[in-house]
Amino acid sequence: VKYVYDFSEGDKSMKDLLGGKGANLAEMTKLGLPVPPGFTITTEACRAYLKESTVPESLATEVTTALRGVEDQMGRHLGDPSDPLLVSVRSGAKFSMPGMMETVLNIGLNDESVLGLAAVSGNERFAWDSYRRLIQMFGKTVLDIDGDLFSDALDALKAERGVTGDTELTAEDLKGLVDTFKGIVKEQTGKDFPQDPRTQMDMGIEAVFRSWNTERARIYRRRERIPHDLGTAVNICTMVFGNMGDNSGTGVCFTRDPSSGHSGVYGDYLENAQGEDVVAGIRNTLPLSALKEINKPVYDELRAIMRKLETHYRDMCDIEFTVERGKLWMLQTRVGKRTAAAAFRIATQLLGEKLITRDEALGRVTGDQLTQLMFPQFDAKAEKELIARGMAASPGAAVGKIAFNNAQAVEAAEKGIKTVLVRRETNPDDLPGMVAAEGVLTARGGKTSHAAVVARGMGKTCVCGAESLVIDEAAGTVTIGDLVLTSEDTIAIDGQTGEIFRGEVPVADSPVTTYLADGLEAGIAAAGEDQGTRELVEAVDKLLAHADKVRRLRVRANADTPLDSKRAIAFGAEGIGLCRTEHMFLGERRPLVERAILSAPESDERQAAFNELEKLQKQDFLEMLEVMDGKAMTVRLIDPPLHEFMPALIELETKVAVGKATGTLDPADEAMLVEVRRMHEQNPMLGLRGVRLGIYLPGLFALQMRALCEAAADLVARGLNPRPEIMVPLVGSVRELQLVREEGEGIIASVAAARGVDLSGVSIGAMIELPRAAMTAEDLAEEADFFSFGTNDLTQTVWGFSRDDVEGVFFPQYIEAGIFGVSPFESIDVHGVGTLVSEGVRRARSTKPNIKLGVCGEHGGDPASIHFFHNVGVDYVSCSPFRVPVARLEAGRAAV
Ligand code: ADP
Ligand code: MG
Ligand code: MG
């Protein structure tokens, strides 16, 4: 294997092997830009090192070859006492990763070559400054010495000399500092600072490899879902010096405004300094435009390169550069990181400049970014008192009084008081409090902690791991430094930034949401005077419009109420993919359902209860169908387990026992208990529900189907265009579907005849949510006009776990252990559940090539899942109204 690539050998497509930094250094070299010569050691070498705990032998020889190449190009040798070549050792993984080893500059300097450097550069001060920097960086990052020891020594020296800036120290001062630093190394490691240049380099390389597995790096990867087995590359790059005097300097810049995408000159420049000074903020930087005055030719050259890079990458880039005695050198570039809002603005800006196509612009933004822009936000203009920071675990903005436990949160919610649940960490017992509170704040745990996973699942705002919080539940206090808060205090948490504020902070709808719900004009009005927000709203509009144009997937919403249906349509839903009917049976209608279930089959009492329910259902459907006029509305026949409609067993048992003991027994209770016991299920999710309940209780589905047909007939008579679809849940066998279908067709025909209207458009289909249904879809298709994959239940039945019992309980550990990267309820398990979906699609179409296929369930609004559904060829996805815009955008991205 080849472990080493000269900068002239690679290109930007080789990020896996060369890391981001190495691949882009190679690309710039290929473009003929002034990159200091160097080479990259591959991630593969790192992986080999980590596996064997030793550097592969062939690496050492390859490094020698590559180094000689660089030396020949430069006409100098590494660490040569008379005229030394110096290099930097720079880490660089595929994804940029804070927490790994930083860069070591000036490798190759030692007690002799420092004199050579001084002589050749004619600048003694510079040479000693470079040497002390080497020992400092090498000591800290390669030898793991506490960095404060070095910076304290530097500060002490400055104090002694009565100066404030490093640049005011003389060559003599720095020479003394080198001795001090060498002393620190000897004292801390028991060994001398290594004088051999190649040893310095090899130790640096190995330190970069090792840093891949430091605790900090591992934590970062877990949080960002970066695989642990990628490894990092190492870049060896000829040193160029920004600290050689006033005609030298170093800087960073963006090819355009990183927030708005407008073109302009954005960046910072620091005279007479080496790279890390800019980032470290040691001295005040100048705006990049100042370079024009300082050195016009260099400025012009840099501007030309910025333009060239942007044209080449066709995106905003960020750049690190250094000027050595009036000569410009490029040290790094990459496609610049950006916020969600900036991503939309930059993409449309580049589109407006015709630098990229519409399809490409769409590819530059994501559904997750759109989601971020839709969450309510703290009013930007409001005054805020920041008291602590944690990790941004689940977005949104929550304000409320502090609640320390379930009881406080639940009690406050009952009184209409908003709370933020504040806990050291959460566990499944905290669920009621999490439901009752506006948001959740924890002192411990990361983005995969229980609090974070559950909050994201519930769409609750969450900030976790705010380690400065000391929570004393018993005392009822949260202490942050000197500040002590109690349940009387109000706090505000920002799930997007992790910020924690004291006091009431006003929350506002985001202008993007206003736009999505009420149109462009309303969105622009909501943006007000704020130019950036206005551009953002217009950008979302433009890209979403393009997504709508190119997408093949249709987007429907899951909605059960007229209000939700209206919202869904406003957000762009083209129909309802799942109207659940359960809630239509709960609440005050529950006694009716109880009566229907418990009365004798075919008794008058049961029929009376059914008739009553049918009347109520018809009214529900009328209202929904009216809102959905002209758009398809899939009504799922009643699905939940029977026990949800029955009194709780234990309560009833207690009541009867007490009644017996005290002689106040109500015989009706006793009769009810017999029934409830008879119907009690060990595993309700796998019990009497869905189509099974429909068959078990004849007349139940019939009343729903009749109510739906009657409602549709009313609307047709009024000249409207209702488009109901009847969906049968939890079907496993074609015979189940056949029975319901026969009954349904009879009802459709009889209502049509009785009312004298055409109901031939009412279709009947099945929900595919059992493995058996997916695997026998070619049979089911004989009896179905459409299928909708219920991927929530399908995930439960394929994995064999019940969502309510697992998600907050052991999923955090499963995610931590890497059993899955993300909950399979959040993003579809492509390999397992996905195979059943694609197999179901294939089998269904083998019988009926044109059968309409949809997906309902949470996955219909998940970006990664949407791409999967696009690829397997379903016709539409259905998701909650709030996710509809995200689904539209991602369906568009999947198609380009
Ligand atoms: P990071 O990934 O933290 O940006 P870099 O490897 O880019 O780390 O290096 C840190 C700093 O050192 C940057 O400012 C960079 O420009 C500077 N630097 C790195 N290599 C060289 C070099 N060969 N000559 C001069 N400066 C360098
Ligand atoms: Mg850098
Ligand atoms: Mg289901």
Side-chain angles (χ1 to χ4, degrees), residues 21 90 320 332:
K21 198 178 288 171
R90 318 168 65 181
E320 291 176 7
Q332 190 177 327

Side-chain angles (χ1 to χ4, degrees), residues 359-391:
D359 287 357
E360 282 173 303
L362 191 53
R364 299 279 173 90
V365 295
T366 67
D368 284 335
Q369 288 168 336
L370 182 58
T371 306
Q372 282 182 36
L373 298 175
M374 289 173 68
F375 280 102
Q377 309 164 339
F378 287 125
D379 188 341
K381 289 176 216 86
E383 256 187 51
K384 306 183 198 70
E385 182 189 347
L386 183 71
I387 51 173
R389 271 176 202 282
M391 267 180 254

Side-chain angles (χ1 to χ4, degrees), residues 86 105-107 109 114 117 123-137 174 178 239 241 243-244 274:
L86 304 182
L105 304 179
N106 306 334
I107 293 256
L109 277 178
V114 68
L117 184 65
N123 187 335
E124 216 183 328
R125 188 196 171 280
F126 151 75
W128 287 102
D129 187 44
S130 301
Y131 193 20
R132 71 92 190 161
R133 285 172 191 263
L134 168 64
I135 304 171
Q136 183 168 1
M137 278 185 270
L174 292 163
V178 163
M239 281 304 301
F241 297 99
N243 53 338
M244 272 200 169
Q274 237 181 10

